[in-house]
Amino acid sequence: IFWEVAEQRELERRLTDSEAKLRAIYDKAQEGILVASLDVGRLLMANPACCRMLGYEAAELLALDPAELHPPETRAWVRKLIGRMEQGDYSLAQELAFQRKNGEIFYADVSPMLVTLAEGPCLLAVLRDVTEKRRATEQLARSEALLAEAQTLAQIGNWNVDLRSGQS
């Protein structure tokens, strides 16, 4: 008895190539990638960037409830947010506070997506650390407030005029 296995081997080769490409993207991405089971309420996957961002080894991270990645005072709100995402509302999550293993708080832009995997419905989240951007924005706002206060106290001001159009 003979079977033609060339087609089977080609499919296996293509599957192996596809898995290798996806693994390379997952492992080398600069953004954190998390996958959490909504049925079980636990993390299923976390890429190396996410582990570095949060300060955990992969095994430690996967033992956590997803809400434990956030400061205690925001966990109830995050659980509600996840519930709303399960209903299809992804516009809610943009910048969230996270808590590293060492207790340090940082902020990340989160791009969430509901996906269905073999484990059931899952939340796929891509995280980009925006802590430095947030600090710079806060510092700029403080500086502008101090400038405005100084101008008020000194009874001086400033204005901008476009000399070509005459608009201020």
Side-chain angles (χ1 to χ4, degrees), residues 64-140:
L64 298 175
D65 177 295
E68 291 179 90
L69 302 177
H70 302 277
E73 62 274 9
T74 66
R75 289 178 186 167
W77 181 79
V78 167
R79 284 188 178 101
K80 286 181 187 176
L81 184 65
I82 291 171
R84 291 181 67 183
M85 280 187 243
E86 285 182 83
Q87 298 170 359
D89 189 353
Y90 299 104
S91 63
L92 300 172
Q94 291 183 15
E95 185 177 291
L96 295 176
F98 285 83
Q99 186 170 348
R100 291 188 169 101
K101 181 180 177 181
N102 67 8
E104 179 184 354
I105 304 298
F106 75 99
Y107 295 87
D109 276 343
V110 179
S111 298
M113 177 60 62
L114 192 63
V115 295
T116 302
L117 303 177
E119 293 84 353
C122 294
L123 178 66
L124 167 67
V126 178
L127 288 66
R128 175 172 290 182
D129 189 337
V130 294
T131 305
E132 291 305 314
K133 178 181 170 185
R134 183 182 173 106
R135 285 185 186 141
T137 300
E138 289 171 353
Q139 180 61 39
L140 178 60

Side-chain angles (χ1 to χ4, degrees), residues 45-69:
M45 298 174 71
N47 73 338
C50 192
C51 292
R52 284 190 304 274
M53 199 178 289
L54 292 162
Y56 289 93
E57 295 296 324
E60 294 175 304
L61 194 55
L62 298 182
L64 298 175
D65 177 295
E68 291 179 90
L69 302 177

Side-chain angles (χ1 to χ4, degrees), residues 19-33 45-52 58:
E19 287 176 349
K21 288 174 188 172
L22 290 174
R23 175 58 57 188
I25 292 167
Y26 180 78
D27 287 344
K28 301 298 181 190
Q30 296 300 308
E31 289 80 16
I33 301 171
M45 298 174 71
N47 73 338
C50 192
C51 292
R52 284 190 304 274

